[in-house]
Amino acid sequence: MALWLWALTLLDLVGSGVGLRSRKLDFFHSETELNHLVVDNVTGGVYLGAVNMLYQLTADLQLVQQVATGPALDNKKCTPPIEKSQCHEAVLTDNVNQLLLLDPLEGRVVECGSLFKGICALRSLSNISTRLFYEDSSGEKSFVASNDESVATVGLVSSTGPGERVLFVGKGNGPQDNGIIVSTRLLDRANGREAFEAYTDHATYKAGYLSANTQQFVAAFEDGQYVFFVFNQQDKLPSQNRTLLARMCKQDPNYYSYLEMDLECQDPGDRQSPPFGTCLAASVDSARVLYAIFSRDASGGGEGTRAGLCLFHWTRSMQDGGQRNACYTGSRESGRNTFYKAFHGEIQCGSHMLGASESFPCGSEHLPYPLGSRDGLKAKAVLQRGGLNLTAVTVTAEDGHTIAFLGTSDGRILKVYLAPDHTSTEYGSILVEINKRIKQDLVLSADLTRLYAMTQDKVFQLPVQECLSYPTCTQCRDSQDPYCGWCVVEGRCTRKAKCPRAKETGHWLWSRDNSCVTITSAQPQNMSRRAQGEVQLTVSPLPTLREDDELLCLFGDSPPHHARVEGDTVICNSPSVIPTTPPGQDHVTVNIQLLLHQGDIFLTSHLYPFYDCRE
Amino acid sequence: MGCFTRIVCLLWGVLLTARANYQNGKNNVPRLKLSYKEMLESNNVITFNGLANSSSYHTFLLDEERSRLYVGAKDHIFSFNLVNIKDFQKIVWPVSYTRRDECKWAGKDILKECANFIKVLKAYNQSHLYACGTGAFHPICTYIEIGHHPEDNIFKLEDSHFENGRGKSPYDPKLLTASLLIDGELYSGTAADFMGRDFAIFRTLGHHHPIRTEQHDSRWLNDPRFISAHLIPESDNPEDDKVYFFFRENAIDGEHSGKATHARIGQICKNDFGGHRSLVNKWTTFLKARLICSVPGPNGIDTHFDELQDVFLMNSKDPKNPIVYGVFTTSSNIFKGSAVCMYSMSDVRRVFLGPYAHRDGPNYQWVPYQGRVPYPRPGTCPSKTFGGFDSTKDLPDDVITFARSHPAMYNPVFPINNRPIMVKTDVNYQFTQIVVDRVDAEDGQYDVMFIGTDVGTVLKVVSIPKETWHDLEEVLLEEMTVFREPTAISAMELSTKQQQLYIGSTAGVAQLALHRCDIYGKACAECCLARDPYCAWDGSSCSRYFPTAKRRTRRQDIRNGDPLTHCSDLQHHDNHHGHSLEERIIYGVENSSTFLECSPKSQQALVYWQFQRRNEERKEEIRADDHIIRTEQGLLLRSLQRKDSGNYLCHAVEHGFMQALLKVTLEVIDTEHLEELLHKDDDGDGSKTKEISNSMTPSQKVWYRDFMQLINHPNLNTMDEFCEQVWKRDRKQRRQRPGHTQGNSNKWKHLQENKKGRNRRTHEFERAPRSV
């Protein structure tokens, strides 16, 4: 029996594998390289930023609109608008999409390209061909994104207060960039300022001349009154690569509230080596955990490459003001070892009253700012991979279980279950496009059923789960997919939400609980075919059953009859007709099946022997 | 003996020796040194000693028309009468309690920081001033009504109209601000944030959008400390007018190994409205150059004075070319030195037209930019003079881009004659302020510098061309203490109308006249030697020189200070009006030692001693040897011999001119007569003393008593012990004596007291007998 079971499992695995590989994935193909992808959580629409092109797609990746954004005459040194007479070096230049964000509240898309010093446009969410705002002659105040294709720009559309929509931007700087690192931009004309101008004169952080560091931004996200940035920073003196988490109050026109601290992801698989150096992607979940992918070799690929996933519980340390208080009220000397002025060097800590960080949750002009702390967050990687890079991460929760989808440099999506005990299990993977790096924007669809994955020039939609493809409880269980469980009364492998009575005990058996309904024992263990009676079957786990569930007992080919349920035992009457005992044997084995709903749904089965004393 | 003044023409040899000595070290000391007490007692200084609830009288605004000096201080603005600052009005402008508490909560000192320290005080229009204060780390500005006419006598705060002072006044009262208000626009170099990190040159007020220097770019400004701002026209077209800022700052990274301070001059065009697309609301014409003030050293390593402290512009007939006087100190904590350097605007303009400092990247050297400079040349004001464009908003992109990355000039501005006109390194104070007055004298115009120091003194210095205008000689005329306590002078204004100088410090305000001619003495020679361009001998005394009134009897020689040619014909005259030659008789015991005191009132004069043996006409110069020791205060004769008896003549030699000050007749009593003398002493001490001292001054009596004591106490057989005792008592009695010079007018009193003061301070070194 055991052998049979094993063979079945193997067959199942091969089957599903074949099925996956042979199945043609739905994808959208772009003529030019893709840069960014966002999803409208209301309509489910997908927006793509590509080189010289923007696309508006349906949730099923059907093209709705496309609009060209380049190429155009430009030179990185020149101030737009470009006039050939003023800018002799201007040549036809591609427009790389640097920033693509949605503002569903106002029904618009924010889009910035690498052309023209990184100026931006507002477009209609319902039709991206409609440009709501674009101004290329406003000069440097309108330069938002990095104009260097190799330097990342991240952003976030949010509000500083009621009704006031702003854009928070974090970016590094190429050689011909404007030096601005973090800025808050208006999205509407206000107080004589145009869209994309700085929110206030002080709402920018700029790199100093010959600044001591360069930044590569990874992610921006918000939580409550705060906006967060994750970025890599290369310090010149001392030379080191750092990954930083920065936080600012959204309502902070003077930028007094900025606080940054190190993020350190340690590689438990290699105790000798230093922590991972570069963060390649990051995502947050609703539980305020930051999932960040780190790499040892940012250049990607190769044998020496190691990548890992680290989880940071940032809320506590970033929000209780402990860090800031340590600087405000601590000693000047200890402050010097821990704190520094972000982007610019030294800071003077100390000499402020106790509780300064509580009194001034968003800092103040008299408190040191922008504050940087070397006393950052440390975590051990929950998952590591060698020989390839992890390039994208998105995290979702299904029934309280955390699932991470990780993109790889070799074109796969890894499905990872993250257990509450901080262990991780890769339970599956999907090959998207062989040896094509999965781009950083790995996004779930609005209804969370699909995952959009992007390669060089294709966008794929992948189902987050395929529970229904597992016909039996065993297959369902062996998938180990945290989305899936066996819906007992329906006899299908489903998401919990798709199982009508999942809330009732024993009705939805989660795959990762490794259980299916089985008969663990029968009383009596066997029965004489001449002296028949009731068979008491112990069923585990036995779902709670109602009258209309109609649990039937079926002995071999005998007509089914109603079973009686007492506690966790199911009582069946032995059949009137029992198959003949095979010659040479002293018993005959009959398969007892328990069926639900007039025999439509198979619950479980058991082989029961009837002996024959005459033989 | 008659009273007379002697003018002796010496042999050339003597003269040359004296000249050599003179140049060796005496020209660097002030000719006259006046203590605070002397200044006060001679009514040469009027002081306002501050209010109990105020301090920091640092911000001056002179209004000659109204004859007022406005002074911004802590929580107050004053309006002093220029004639006498004891007469003043005041405005109280404190901060609210809430503001003060907020400042305190921010960790600032309630007394020293959490108040309204007035940092900007400028004339706004005919009837109003504009004032800004730190407002307890929350800068605020307002207008002050002064009325349209002086007689309106209005001085009040427009307290209904307060403005944000950010970018106008610093937050921190310790920080310096330089500002200039022209045509309703305020130019200010200051820090625009609480932390004092965001330094910039701003233009605020007026109808235009505020403009500032680029932020976060150390090439533009690198932690600067602003000193002053001035409008200097570039041509006759006002469109070319430029505002110059003087400041010191950290050397730009890579410009200097390690940290260093550089003095700078920065320029901006008055009609700069910023760029159109780039450098929007930023200066597009800002350029800066280093100001060098250094003394050449061996091996080409110069000693630099880089800490610019103050700047004064001496206006000439040509408003485009004022002379720039800069006061500098050293950056060293150990080597304390100060210097004054002079710059010409044509040199400044040449540097701004020279190569821009350029660097390709952090690992490159700063080099002169060799490439094509875009047109119009960055730093040129938009005007019809140079043509091409009407506004900085029309500047082409490449000009703006170039201007943004090339704010500094490669060449520095060197001072006129390539060296300071004045250096002071051997003193325990440093220069802080300077004002300069151009004074007409008989033989030309002279710039008289009034230099404030960090110990509350004012130096009055005149620079006199020696052979050519390129070879200037500094004559330190006076050193005056104007504050009771040593305190740094932080503001100075000079009123040519009133001929008065106004001085500010943390403690208060002082007023003093530009000249005190009578202090030099009544004689023509004394007046002539003083070389004070303000003063001339008018036939009867030393008095204020007015070039308009021509008078035959007037004598003045600033250039040479040579009384021989200018006063010789008045020798006879001087005999009657001048001071008398003092005579003394001193007794000494054979083998003992004695001291012949003689020090001239001019500290720059050298003392020349002559000896005339009894019954001989011939006078010989006394040369120092083992037997005779020369000190600052006089002559020490060791181990007296009978042959030492005779007349000792003390002369002051100054500027090649010798003047007899004192004649001492020394009588040496031999040891054989000593016993006899002691005997007589037993009989009647009093009568004998009287007899000897009938022509003596009180101070000579002291010497006599000392001598008697020696006789009475033969146990004191060592010279050292004797001298020790003499000097100690001398000191004590000098302190007690109210006035000691017999037969001399009281006008020297303060001078001599001053000498005493100095003696008190320095006697341990100069007079210690043990070193003999």
Side-chain angles (χ1 to χ4, degrees):
Chain A
M1 195 175 88
L3 185 75
W4 178 80
L5 258 178
W6 174 84
L8 192 79
T9 315
L10 189 73
L11 194 76
D12 188 71
L13 274 178
V14 171
S16 64
V18 169
L20 204 128
R21 213 166 287 165
S22 61
R23 195 181 64 229
K24 193 165 169 287
L25 292 167
D26 291 332
F27 67 83
F28 173 82
H29 180 257
S30 164
E31 298 282 308
T32 54
E33 183 180 350
L34 289 163
N35 306 122
H36 288 291
L37 183 152
V38 279
V39 170
D40 179 358
N41 283 331
V42 180
T43 64
V46 176
Y47 298 80
L48 299 177
V51 174
N52 300 329
M53 200 64 94
L54 296 175
Y55 300 99
Q56 180 183 353
L57 311 177
T58 64
D60 297 327
L61 304 183
Q62 300 305 306
L63 184 67
V64 178
Q65 282 287 340
Q66 68 178 52
V67 58
T69 59
L73 274 183
D74 189 25
N75 182 287
K76 289 194 192 314
K77 287 181 192 162
C78 298
T79 307
I82 304 299
E83 291 162 37
K84 195 71 179 159
S85 61
Q86 292 253 335
C87 180
H88 306 287
E89 307 98 322
V91 289
L92 212 56
T93 309
D94 280 338
N95 193 8
V96 176
N97 178 251
Q98 290 285 68
L99 198 61
L100 184 66
L101 299 166
L102 305 183
D103 183 11
L105 278 181
E106 300 289 332
R108 58 195 174 183
V109 179
V110 178
E111 162 255 311
C112 314
S114 62
L115 269 188
F116 307 142
K117 294 273 186 185
I119 61 172
C120 303
L122 293 172
R123 293 172 180 276
S124 166
L125 193 65
S126 54
N127 182 353
I128 56 163
S129 303
T130 309
R131 204 153 63 177
L132 303 173
F133 177 88
Y134 177 75
E135 184 56 69
D136 66 353
S137 59
S138 297
E140 58 188 349
K141 63 190 175 189
S142 63
F143 304 165
V144 174
S146 171
N147 69 345
D148 195 310
E149 314 64 59
S150 62
V151 177
T153 303
V154 301
L156 179 80
V157 175
S158 188
S159 304
T160 56
E164 196 174 29
R165 300 297 280 170
V166 290
L167 169 66
F168 294 97
V169 185
K171 71 170 191 46
N173 285 280
Q176 302 297 337
D177 253 318
N178 61 358
I180 291 174
I181 302 169
V182 178
S183 59
T184 309
R185 307 292 183 141
L186 290 168
L187 285 177
D188 300 286
R189 254 190 207 107
N191 307 321
R193 288 172 191 259
E194 283 181 351
F196 297 114
E197 261 187 69
Y199 172 53
T200 67
D201 284 344
H202 314 288
T204 49
Y205 275 129
K206 213 174 164 185
Y209 167 66
L210 298 183
S211 77
N213 42 53
T214 53
Q215 292 79 21
Q216 192 68 267
F217 274 75
V218 177
F221 55 92
E222 63 183 317
D223 179 49
Q225 61 167 324
Y226 298 113
V227 54
F228 292 82
F229 293 101
V230 177
F231 58 96
N232 295 303
Q233 179 166 290
Q234 197 172 8
D235 285 358
K236 284 175 192 158
L237 280 171
S239 174
Q240 59 174 338
N241 288 333
R242 301 163 66 197
T243 299
L244 293 153
L245 175 65
R247 187 212 70 182
M248 278 191 330
C249 287
K250 286 184 195 165
Q251 177 58 39
D252 179 11
N254 292 301
Y255 271 37
Y256 296 142
S257 64
Y258 184 93
L259 169 65
E260 70 176 27
M261 60 174 72
D262 283 285
L263 287 182
E264 198 176 295
C265 181
Q266 292 156 340
D267 184 358
D270 191 351
R271 282 177 198 285
Q272 302 302 313
S273 64
F276 290 111
T278 312
C279 180
L280 294 181
S283 177
V284 265
D285 70 357
S286 51
R288 292 171 174 167
V289 177
L290 174 70
Y291 300 83
I293 285 172
F294 283 77
S295 168
R296 175 108 62 234
D297 173 21
S299 54
E303 276 302 302
T305 305
R306 275 188 75 77
L309 172 68
C310 270
L311 276 57
F312 298 97
H313 298 264
W314 44 271
T315 38
R316 221 174 313 126
S317 52
M318 286 300 256
Q319 281 182 327
D320 68 358
Q323 281 274 8
R324 292 193 298 131
N325 255 344
C327 174
Y328 297 165
T329 62
S331 80
R332 202 155 277 188
E333 285 66 38
S334 66
R336 197 166 297 147
N337 294 328
T338 309
F339 298 99
Y340 56 91
K341 186 179 172 190
F343 313 122
H344 291 285
E346 282 184 15
I347 207 160
Q348 199 155 55
C349 285
S351 85
H352 293 283
M353 296 228 236
L354 285 173
S357 74
E358 287 81 9
S359 308
F360 303 96
C362 290
S364 169
E365 60 177 358
H366 71 275
L367 298 170
Y369 68 89
L371 195 55
S373 168
R374 291 183 192 90
D375 185 14
L377 302 176
K378 290 190 173 86
K380 278 201 171 66
V382 295
L383 176 144
Q384 319 104 50
R385 289 291 179 273
L388 62 81
N389 246 334
L390 299 175
T391 57
V393 59
T394 190
V395 179
T396 186
E398 173 76 5
D399 186 31
H401 304 297
T402 307
I403 299 141
F405 298 100
L406 308 176
T408 67
S409 53
D410 62 356
R412 286 179 300 140
I413 299 292
L414 308 183
K415 300 173 168 185
V416 177
Y417 168 67
L418 298 166
D421 63 354
H422 299 304
T423 58
S424 70
T425 318
E426 180 190 327
Y427 63 86
S429 80
I430 307 169
L431 178 63
V432 176
E433 194 176 7
I434 195 152
N435 283 334
K436 288 282 169 70
R437 183 189 178 96
I438 303 290
K439 297 240 170 188
Q440 199 189 328
D441 288 352
L442 182 65
V443 187
L444 287 159
S445 65
D447 60 4
L448 304 178
T449 60
R450 271 168 293 189
L451 187 64
Y452 299 109
M454 206 162 63
T455 58
Q456 168 79 15
D457 56 358
K458 293 187 191 75
V459 181
F460 297 84
Q461 54 170 332
L462 318 168
V464 293
Q465 49 78 24
E466 290 171 291
C467 303
L468 288 175
S469 68
Y470 308 110
T472 66
C473 180
T474 323
Q475 283 169 303
C476 185
R477 181 192 66 196
D478 293 343
S479 74
Q480 289 291 299
D481 188 332
Y483 274 99
C484 304
W486 188 248
C487 188
V488 174
V489 293
E490 297 208 333
R492 292 194 300 165
C493 186
T494 66
R495 295 173 68 182
K496 193 173 184 181
K498 298 285 178 191
C499 183
R501 290 165 67 189
K503 287 210 174 68
E504 294 175 44
T505 318
H507 275 263
W508 187 77
L509 306 174
W510 187 42
S511 66
R512 301 194 63 85
D513 281 340
N514 290 317
S515 68
C516 283
V517 179
T518 47
I519 293 164
T520 52
S521 67
Q523 194 65 39
Q525 286 183 338
N526 46 39
M527 198 176 273
S528 165
R529 57 185 297 142
R530 296 172 208 292
Q532 289 173 307
E534 292 181 341
V535 182
Q536 293 183 24
L537 301 166
T538 309
V539 180
S540 175
L542 178 65
T544 50
L545 295 172
R546 300 191 300 248
E547 276 297 308
D548 58 354
D549 285 333
E550 294 180 53
L551 182 63
L552 302 178
C553 295
L554 184 64
F555 281 76
D557 299 329
S558 306
H561 65 275
H562 282 274
R564 231 169 66 239
V565 181
E566 286 177 7
D568 62 349
T569 43
V570 174
I571 299 157
C572 297
N573 293 319
S574 60
S576 47
V577 183
I578 295 165
T580 49
T581 310
Q585 287 193 2
D586 59 355
H587 71 279
V588 60
T589 306
V590 176
N591 188 22
I592 308 177
Q593 292 185 65
L594 296 179
L595 304 173
L596 288 167
H597 294 145
Q598 294 150 345
D600 288 350
I601 307 296
F602 171 82
L603 183 64
T604 184
S605 66
H606 187 71
L607 292 175
Y608 194 80
F610 287 94
Y611 60 88
D612 190 352
C613 291
R614 287 207 301 216
E615 291 298 319
Chain B
M1 294 266 201
C3 298
F4 59 93
T5 302
R6 283 184 187 192
I7 298 164
V8 183
C9 196
L10 291 168
L11 288 171
W12 262 113
V14 176
L15 229 160
L16 286 176
T17 324
R19 264 236 164 118
N21 286 339
Y22 173 82
Q23 279 163 352
N24 273 349
K26 280 232 160 178
N27 59 342
N28 212 13
V29 297
R31 193 167 180 280
L32 290 187
K33 205 166 178 176
L34 303 170
S35 72
Y36 179 68
K37 196 163 160 253
E38 283 159 354
M39 292 292 289
L40 211 58
E41 283 173 359
S42 58
N43 290 324
N44 272 311
V45 65
I46 303 172
T47 52
F48 164 73
N49 288 322
L51 301 180
N53 58 353
S54 187
S55 66
S56 311
Y57 306 87
H58 300 322
T59 310
F60 276 25
L61 172 65
L62 187 73
D63 186 344
E64 294 255 42
E65 208 178 304
R66 286 185 169 78
S67 193
R68 306 303 292 188
L69 174 72
Y70 302 107
V71 174
K74 178 190 174 187
D75 292 333
H76 292 79
I77 299 171
F78 297 86
S79 169
F80 292 101
N81 185 345
L82 284 188
V83 177
N84 187 330
I85 59 166
K86 297 265 186 212
D87 168 25
F88 66 88
Q89 293 168 279
K90 67 169 194 281
I91 285 171
V92 186
W93 183 16
V95 289
S96 67
Y97 290 115
T98 343
R99 256 311 157 237
R100 206 182 58 183
D101 286 348
E102 278 171 17
C103 177
K104 197 179 87 181
W105 289 331
K108 300 295 169 188
D109 188 290
I110 196 101
L111 285 174
K112 290 184 191 138
E113 293 173 309
C114 296
N116 191 22
F117 292 87
I118 310 304
K119 288 285 177 178
V120 175
L121 192 56
K122 298 285 161 191
Y124 182 73
N125 57 22
Q126 281 300 304
S127 58
H128 284 83
L129 306 179
Y130 192 67
C132 302
T134 60
F137 272 81
H138 190 91
I140 39 167
C141 298
T142 192
Y143 298 86
I144 291 161
E145 195 187 347
I146 51 169
H148 281 275
H149 309 286
E151 56 274 19
D152 292 349
N153 205 28
I154 297 171
F155 185 57
K156 72 175 210 288
L157 205 66
E158 293 277 0
D159 38 13
S160 59
H161 187 88
F162 288 110
E163 294 177 353
N164 189 344
R166 187 175 177 143
K168 299 170 187 172
S169 162
Y171 286 61
D172 188 339
K174 287 190 290 294
L175 289 175
L176 301 168
T177 275
S179 51
L180 177 70
L181 206 161
I182 20 169
D183 300 338
E185 293 184 305
L186 181 71
Y187 297 77
S188 44
T190 190
D193 64 336
F194 191 99
M195 295 289 177
R197 292 186 302 214
D198 181 19
F199 286 94
I201 295 171
F202 295 89
R203 185 177 61 207
T204 48
L205 283 178
H207 307 299
H208 300 289
H209 193 283
I211 266 191
R212 60 168 293 165
T213 41
E214 178 77 309
Q215 231 173 332
H216 308 301
D217 192 334
S218 56
R219 291 173 297 185
W220 283 53
L221 293 171
N222 194 9
D223 204 12
R225 296 294 181 270
F226 294 98
I227 304 299
S228 65
H230 307 269
L231 178 82
I232 302 175
E234 189 103 339
S235 71
D236 296 332
N237 182 355
E239 288 176 333
D240 299 324
D241 284 359
K242 283 179 177 171
V243 173
Y244 289 89
F245 273 86
F246 292 89
F247 55 102
R248 58 175 192 264
E249 63 170 354
N250 291 339
I252 311 171
D253 174 44
E255 191 181 24
H256 196 279
S257 57
K259 245 186 169 175
T261 301
H262 283 176
R264 303 275 189 195
I265 178 169
Q267 67 137 55
I268 45 184
C269 289
K270 190 168 168 282
N271 59 0
D272 189 339
F273 294 107
H276 177 53
R277 293 188 183 124
S278 300
L279 287 180
V280 180
N281 299 324
K282 309 269 170 66
W283 302 110
T284 59
T285 56
F286 175 74
L287 290 177
K288 67 176 181 182
R290 185 178 174 194
L291 290 175
I292 298 268
C293 185
S294 68
V295 177
N299 311 321
I301 300 163
D302 296 354
T303 304
H304 280 273
F305 298 85
D306 286 317
E307 305 277 342
L308 182 64
Q309 301 294 335
D310 192 26
V311 164
F312 184 86
L313 259 56
M314 186 72 235
N315 282 308
S316 61
K317 285 198 187 79
D318 178 7
K320 298 189 286 290
N321 288 304
I323 296 280
V324 178
Y325 282 85
V327 162
F328 299 81
T329 57
T330 49
S331 301
S332 166
N333 241 348
I334 303 158
F335 168 62
K336 275 192 162 189
S338 309
V340 179
C341 276
M342 238 163 44
Y343 303 90
S344 84
M345 282 311 293
S346 54
D347 286 346
V348 169
R349 293 193 181 102
R350 193 172 307 123
V351 167
F352 282 131
L353 288 171
Y356 299 89
H358 176 83
R359 180 149 80 150
D360 280 319
N363 302 319
Y364 292 84
Q365 291 283 314
W366 285 95
V367 293
Y369 182 72
Q370 305 281 11
R372 192 188 73 88
V373 174
Y375 179 85
R377 184 186 162 88
T380 317
C381 303
S383 88
K384 289 177 190 71
T385 313
F386 305 103
F389 63 115
D390 294 334
S391 162
T392 53
K393 295 207 187 265
D394 300 336
L395 287 171
D397 198 26
D398 56 345
V399 171
I400 300 278
T401 309
F402 188 88
R404 189 198 288 272
S405 54
H406 298 90
M409 305 315 297
Y410 183 77
N411 291 331
V413 182
F414 288 100
I416 295 173
N417 299 335
N418 284 318
R419 59 187 152 82
I421 55 168
M422 183 171 181
V423 173
K424 206 120 188 78
T425 54
D426 51 349
V427 289
N428 59 351
Y429 60 80
Q430 287 185 310
F431 298 170
T432 58
Q433 292 281 311
I434 187 169
V435 289
V436 185
D437 193 16
R438 186 152 286 171
V439 186
D440 285 314
E442 194 83 357
D443 52 358
Q445 265 189 342
Y446 292 93
D447 281 359
V448 178
M449 297 181 275
F450 294 89
I451 300 169
T453 70
D454 59 353
V455 291
T457 57
V458 174
L459 308 180
K460 179 172 163 186
V461 184
V462 59
S463 47
I464 299 166
K466 275 195 258 181
E467 261 74 53
T468 61
W469 269 102
H470 295 288
D471 188 11
L472 294 170
E473 174 194 354
E474 297 316 303
V475 179
L476 221 171
L477 300 174
E478 294 176 284
E479 179 185 315
M480 296 157 284
T481 307
V482 295
F483 288 105
R484 182 175 284 121
E485 302 297 329
T487 172
I489 287 173
S490 52
M492 282 215 286
E493 280 290 349
L494 185 146
S495 164
T496 42
K497 235 181 193 175
Q498 305 288 337
Q499 291 288 298
Q500 297 281 315
L501 188 66
Y502 305 90
I503 300 142
S505 74
T506 293
V509 181
Q511 168 190 3
L512 75 153
L514 301 180
H515 39 78
R516 285 148 292 281
C517 299
D518 58 348
I519 218 156
Y520 297 122
K522 273 209 150 82
C524 173
E526 289 169 314
C527 194
C528 185
L529 276 173
R531 301 177 79 188
D532 187 332
Y534 289 106
C535 306
W537 193 74
D538 60 8
S540 62
S541 67
C542 196
S543 65
R544 175 74 174 108
Y545 169 86
F546 295 104
T548 41
K550 291 267 177 211
R551 285 165 68 178
R552 201 173 45 81
T553 48
R554 192 165 61 196
R555 298 298 147 87
Q556 193 190 41
D557 180 20
I558 307 307
R559 190 145 186 172
N560 301 310
D562 177 14
L564 291 177
T565 44
H566 288 82
C567 299
S568 53
D569 60 321
L570 299 162
Q571 199 185 95
H572 183 70
H573 201 86
D574 273 5
N575 285 350
H576 297 291
H577 296 275
H579 76 100
S580 49
L581 177 69
E582 190 185 335
E583 291 191 29
R584 292 179 201 165
I585 299 171
I586 284 189
Y587 292 86
V589 178
E590 196 178 359
N591 295 328
S592 75
S593 65
T594 192
F595 186 76
L596 312 180
E597 190 187 25
C598 178
S599 53
K601 59 199 169 208
S602 166
Q603 311 223 6
Q604 290 181 350
L606 283 177
V607 173
Y608 174 75
W609 286 91
Q610 282 180 316
F611 178 54
Q612 187 179 29
R613 223 174 284 278
R614 197 176 298 177
N615 305 324
E616 272 185 43
E617 270 302 302
R618 203 171 62 86
K619 293 170 189 157
E620 57 186 279
E621 188 190 348
I622 297 175
R623 298 201 178 268
D625 54 21
D626 286 356
H627 176 55
I628 299 169
I629 290 145
R630 299 187 58 152
T631 73
E632 285 272 307
Q633 282 72 38
L635 217 53
L636 178 67
L637 303 176
R638 300 173 67 188
S639 185
L640 289 176
Q641 304 299 314
R642 295 211 59 176
K643 65 176 168 61
D644 291 332
S645 293
N647 291 330
Y648 289 80
L649 283 152
C650 171
H651 304 270
V653 183
E654 192 175 8
H655 230 248
F657 174 77
M658 191 154 78
Q659 190 178 19
L661 298 177
L662 174 74
K663 179 179 165 191
V664 188
T665 307
L666 177 69
E667 299 282 354
V668 179
I669 302 163
D670 61 29
T671 31
E672 290 162 34
H673 290 116
L674 202 61
E675 280 301 309
E676 192 186 329
L677 220 97
L678 283 169
H679 239 75
K680 276 185 187 169
D681 197 47
D682 287 340
D683 297 343
D685 185 5
S687 59
K688 179 71 189 169
T689 312
K690 242 175 216 158
E691 193 190 316
I692 296 174
S693 64
N694 56 357
S695 68
M696 283 185 206
T697 64
S699 78
Q700 284 167 321
K701 274 181 192 160
V702 173
W703 286 97
Y704 167 68
R705 264 206 304 279
D706 292 334
F707 163 65
M708 290 310 291
Q709 194 185 31
L710 177 72
I711 305 162
N712 286 334
H713 297 88
N715 286 353
L716 293 169
N717 49 1
T718 69
M719 288 303 143
D720 286 349
E721 276 169 332
F722 168 65
C723 291
E724 185 78 73
Q725 281 207 351
V726 170
W727 275 305
K728 267 188 183 161
R729 192 172 319 105
D730 185 27
R731 216 182 308 149
K732 209 188 298 166
Q733 284 171 352
R734 274 162 175 269
R735 242 174 257 152
Q736 290 157 353
R737 234 168 358 191
H740 67 297
T741 332
Q742 192 191 48
N744 210 338
S745 69
N746 263 342
K747 69 179 179 186
W748 297 119
K749 194 177 70 183
H750 40 270
L751 283 184
Q752 277 155 349
E753 271 171 5
N754 176 50
K755 257 180 261 164
K756 271 182 299 173
R758 192 176 52 150
N759 290 351
R760 239 173 274 145
R761 282 198 299 274
T762 54
H763 72 277
E764 290 298 349
F765 309 105
E766 292 170 357
R767 299 192 62 178
R770 276 185 210 91
S771 67
V772 168

